[in-house]
Amino acid sequence: MLGPADDLDRIMHVMERAFAPEFGEAWNRRQVGDALLLPNTRYGLIAPDGADTVGDDQEPAGFFLSRSILDEEELLLFAISPDFRRLGLGHALLSRFIEQARSNGIKRLFLEMRSENPADVLYHAHGFRAVGRRPGYYRTPDGLRLDAVSQALDL
Ligand SMILES: CC(C)(COP(=O)(O)OP(=O)(O)OC[C@H]1O[C@@H](n2cnc3c(N)ncnc32)[C@H](O)[C@@H]1OP(=O)(O)O)[C@@H](O)C(=O)NCCC(=O)NCCS
C-alpha cells in the first residue's frame, strides 16, 4: 500500500517537469502538501501503462489535483510528464477524473487555464466549454500577457 507521502513525491516529480516555468503555474511541495490535508481535496495519479497506481519501480506519468465544494469541483492542476505525452494518458486521466466526480455526486466541474494552452483541445474533447475570460491574467517574465479562460462541464 502506498502512503500519501510517497504520492506527494510522485506528484512533485511530475510537477517539476510538466509546467513551463514562465507561466508560474506549478505549485511547490508545501502548497500541494497543505492542499492534500484538506478533506475536500483529492488527487489521482497515472502510471506510464495507464494504471491508476504507480509502483515503486515506475516513474509517475501524470496527476490531477482537485477541490470540491458541495456538488461542484474544480480541477486545480492537471499534468502529464513531457516524456509521456501524446500517448493518450491525458485523455485517460481526464476521463477518470470526470467519472470519479460523477460517481461522487458532483454536478458541475470547473477549471481555469491560460489561453493558447494545447490542453484546451483535450478539455473541449471531454465536453468542457468556456464560461469566462480574465484578460491578461497571466504575465510571463518577458512581458507577454495571456488571458485566463474558465471552463465548465455539467455532469
Ligand atoms: C495538456 C497535457 C495534460 C496533455 O497530456 P497528453 O498525455 O499529451 O494528452 P493526450 O496524449 O491524451 O492527448 C490529448 C489531446 O490533447 C491535444 N494535445 C495535447 N498536447 C498537444 C499539443 N502539444 N499540441 C496540440 N494538441 C495537443 C490533442 O488533441 C490530443 O489528442 P490527440 O493526440 O488524439 O490529437 C500535457 O501536455 C501537459 O501536462 N501539459 C502541461 C501542463 C498543463 O498545461 N496542464 C493543463 C493546464 S493546468
Side-chain angles (χ1 to χ4, degrees), residues 14-27 82 85 114 138-142 144 146:
V14 176
M15 188 91 70
E16 284 154 12
R17 289 160 178 76
F19 290 94
E22 63 265 33
F23 299 113
E25 293 166 321
W27 292 19
R85 286 185 190 162
R114 79 185 128 78
Y138 291 98
R139 196 180 310 186
T140 66
D142 56 8
L144 181 68
L146 293 170

Side-chain angles (χ1 to χ4, degrees), residues 18-19 78-80 85-91 117-119 121-123:
F19 290 94
F78 185 86
I80 300 292
R85 286 185 190 162
R86 303 313 294 266
L87 300 172
L89 292 175
H91 275 302
N117 187 334
V121 182
L122 173 62
Y123 295 138

Side-chain angles (χ1 to χ4, degrees), residues 10-67:
R10 294 183 176 101
I11 289 170
M12 294 314 298
H13 181 96
V14 176
M15 188 91 70
E16 284 154 12
R17 289 160 178 76
F19 290 94
E22 63 265 33
F23 299 113
E25 293 166 321
W27 292 19
N28 64 35
R29 188 183 178 85
R30 179 162 184 183
Q31 288 172 306
V32 178
D34 285 351
L36 291 177
L37 294 175
L38 301 172
N40 59 348
T41 303
R42 70 181 180 99
Y43 68 93
L45 291 163
I46 192 162
D49 60 4
D52 61 2
T53 54
V54 182
D56 287 340
D57 55 344
Q58 280 182 310
E59 188 180 343
F63 76 95
F64 72 78
L65 182 74
S66 68
R67 172 179 57 201

